[in-house]
Amino acid sequence: MPIPGAIIVPHPPLILPAVGRGQERGIQATVDAYRASAKRVADWAPEALVVTTPHSVMYADYFHISPGLAAHGDMARFGAGATQLDVRYDAALRNEAIRLAEAEGLAAGTLGERDASLDHGTFIPLWFLREAGVDCPIVRVGLSGFSPLEHYRLGQCFARAAEKLNRRVVFVASGDLSHKLRPDGPYGFASEGPVYDEQVTAAMASGDFLRFLTMDAGLCERAAECGQRSFQIMAGALDGLAVEPELLSHEGPFGVGYGVAVFTVTGEDPARRYAARYEAAERERLDARKASEDPWVRLARLSLETFVRTGRELDTLPEGLPEEMTRERAGAFVSLHLGGQLRGCIGTTAPTAKSVAWEIVQNAVSACSRDPRFSPVRESELASLEYSVDVLGAPEPIVSPSQLDVKRYGVIVSCGMRRGLLLPDLDGVDTVEQQIEIARRKGGISAVEKYHLERFEVVRHT
């Protein structure tokens, strides 16, 4: 069997004694489980490891896989520079997986490396594996902004590459769970944090990899997890294989969730081919969402799809729109999501068109083609896009951040001619301080400059 098993492990730097200096004893269950999982990998006698990590190079539209023949890493940035590792890369396995990914239409390769040294998401699992006697070449794989299905498909490519090369490969999915489990933790508390940890560890314990693909993206965002896409790649690598799942530990005393799980391959199981099942579930969800869209969102969809398919903008409005859309004027934002990730967002803070409807028409086109953060939307993506439309109320000046509420009000930060805007009630924006900082940075306004604040309310249509 080319793939005898896989493990999920966290990567808190303090788990290493040279970094933790005793603090690691506060997560002793994780330490013990880590060593048990490393011993299991040693028993599998791998010829190569594939390590997926959230802390290597990450692009929105590309899977970065580390190039070269070798790499060095240390824990100097965590105060333990003497703790070092050198690794060899399995170039043949890497190159074959990239070839297969490209044949599948996945954007993956070795371009764009900014730092060749090992990130801590890779270093920490390898440190435990070396301790257990595992010293084989690796392939280091970064995550991306692609959909869960595309992460899963990349895992499938690695499995096929291992089979073609007759390489005995173990997958190491490096990732912490929620970073928001405790108010006194480094990232604070969100109610979604414990919910996420409960759901993802249930998937680990049961071996239900479909749940790695279908977990609510908003829940994952608000829980501030970092390992979900790592787990999705691992799930793809084990596509069609029967596994014996074991959740060895789960704890979060420092406010971040740490889970250790082992998946021993016991044979083949066609029922565990999850790609088609995910696509069916996703299509059902998207169809239900589309059927419930209100006129604001339907107009945004019509405008965008017309432009992508024909290259022309709408020149007439559809009949039957509510009067408030055709007679009133207001600024509006159109936001696009694909696979739970932002795919474009463009809007106007004040009315620029003769009605809200025309504001939506023009901003939908801009969101799909003029957002500088993203490439233009492709026709193949249209069926999977999710839309929201925010109609803005008039901004009002405020004198203090205490007059803001991240759920109710958006904010405009201005300094001279520079302005930055942030909508209200966004995933991952939990405090007024975060809201102001993000809006300030969007406007190119430094923290030391004197700026003015305005707030506004929105009506959100989904």
Side-chain angles (χ1 to χ4, degrees):
M1 186 71 68
I3 301 178
I7 61 173
I8 287 175
V9 287
H11 46 247
L14 63 78
I15 201 171
L16 303 184
V19 177
R21 296 179 174 86
Q23 292 185 78
E24 69 275 9
R25 290 192 289 272
I27 51 170
Q28 192 61 48
T30 301
V31 173
D32 294 343
Y34 225 128
R35 288 191 169 124
S37 68
K39 171 66 165 56
R40 194 73 57 85
V41 174
D43 291 342
W44 291 331
E47 297 171 304
L49 303 172
V50 174
V51 183
T52 55
T53 169
H55 297 289
S56 181
V57 180
M58 184 163 69
Y59 293 102
D61 56 356
Y62 187 73
F63 287 111
H64 176 80
I65 303 172
S66 295
L69 298 177
H72 172 82
D74 61 49
M75 298 300 285
R77 61 176 293 213
F78 301 104
T83 303
Q84 304 182 13
L85 282 176
D86 290 286
V87 301
R88 296 160 289 145
Y89 284 136
D90 189 328
L93 180 61
R94 175 188 65 214
N95 295 341
E96 180 61 19
I98 290 172
R99 186 190 70 79
L100 291 168
E102 290 174 342
E104 290 283 319
L106 293 173
T110 59
L111 301 176
E113 183 170 67
R114 297 189 291 267
D115 184 358
S117 62
L118 297 177
D119 62 284
H120 71 278
T122 304
F123 187 102
I124 292 166
L126 293 181
W127 189 88
F128 278 96
L129 288 166
R130 288 284 178 87
E131 184 184 66
V134 179
D135 185 10
C136 59
I138 76 164
V139 179
R140 178 170 59 150
V141 183
L143 311 181
S144 78
F146 288 136
S147 70
L149 182 60
E150 286 166 299
H151 284 80
Y152 189 89
R153 289 171 58 208
L154 182 67
Q156 291 178 293
C157 292
F158 272 102
R160 293 205 302 274
E163 184 172 13
K164 180 171 182 179
L165 298 176
N166 194 29
R167 195 83 93 239
R168 191 172 176 85
V169 175
V170 169
F171 271 72
V172 179
S174 177
D176 296 336
L177 308 186
S178 172
H179 285 61
K180 295 195 172 186
L181 295 182
R182 293 171 60 102
D184 58 351
Y187 307 96
F189 175 77
S191 60
E192 293 85 357
V195 174
Y196 171 81
D197 272 30
E198 180 180 359
Q199 292 188 12
V200 78
T201 53
M204 295 178 193
S206 65
D208 183 0
F209 294 164
L210 184 61
R211 295 179 69 176
F212 291 149
L213 302 176
T214 58
M215 286 182 66
D216 180 74
L219 170 69
C220 294
E221 177 77 20
R222 291 187 290 273
E225 56 77 27
C226 80
Q228 189 75 7
R229 285 167 284 181
S230 227
F231 310 156
Q232 291 163 357
I233 298 174
M234 182 208 73
L238 299 178
D239 178 72
L241 297 177
V243 299
E244 179 183 327
E246 299 172 79
L247 177 63
L248 300 185
S249 72
H250 171 242
E251 57 184 346
F254 304 132
V256 179
Y258 306 132
V260 178
V262 173
F263 306 96
T264 303
V265 173
T266 59
E268 296 185 358
D269 184 353
R272 294 181 60 82
R273 298 191 182 279
Y274 292 113
R277 290 171 60 184
Y278 169 76
E279 288 182 292
E282 187 68 359
R283 175 54 46 214
E284 183 178 346
R285 185 185 69 82
L286 289 169
D287 287 347
R289 182 182 173 99
K290 184 176 180 179
S292 67
E293 290 174 348
D294 68 13
W296 286 259
V297 175
R298 286 202 300 271
L299 178 61
R301 181 184 290 276
L302 175 65
S303 173
L304 187 151
E305 291 186 349
T306 299
F307 179 78
V308 172
R309 289 191 170 114
T310 69
R312 298 189 300 272
E313 298 185 22
L314 285 179
D315 53 13
T316 59
L317 295 176
E319 296 182 359
L321 294 177
E323 285 191 5
E324 60 186 294
M325 292 182 68
T326 58
R327 292 188 178 183
E328 297 179 7
R329 301 180 72 230
F333 274 72
V334 175
S335 301
L336 314 173
H337 283 81
L338 183 70
Q341 303 296 315
L342 185 68
R343 187 62 179 88
C345 179
I346 294 288
T348 44
T349 60
T352 62
K354 58 186 175 182
S355 69
V356 171
W358 284 112
E359 206 81 36
I360 293 170
V361 167
Q362 67 184 24
N363 290 341
V365 170
S366 295
C368 79
S369 62
R370 298 172 191 139
D371 189 328
R373 298 168 294 179
F374 303 95
S375 59
V377 168
R378 303 182 301 273
E379 187 169 354
S380 61
E381 296 175 301
L382 294 180
S384 300
L385 281 181
E386 298 180 67
Y387 297 71
S388 64
V389 175
D390 290 291
V391 179
L392 278 60
E396 59 175 331
I398 58 173
V399 297
S400 168
S402 65
Q403 294 174 272
L404 290 171
D405 179 329
V406 294
K407 296 296 183 183
R408 178 179 177 184
Y409 295 112
V411 66
I412 300 172
V413 180
S414 58
C415 178
M417 298 298 292
R418 289 168 291 155
R419 305 178 83 204
L421 176 146
L422 198 69
L423 296 169
D425 197 19
L426 297 178
D427 287 340
V429 181
D430 302 315
T431 67
V432 167
E433 291 74 21
Q434 284 179 292
Q435 189 183 39
I436 292 174
E437 181 186 359
I438 295 169
R440 176 179 56 73
R441 285 193 277 107
K442 288 176 70 175
I445 302 167
S446 72
V448 298
E449 292 182 276
K450 185 177 180 180
Y451 53 78
H452 301 283
L453 298 175
E454 296 173 275
R455 71 182 185 185
F456 59 91
E457 294 187 272
V458 306
V459 177
R460 178 160 295 163
H461 302 268
T462 59

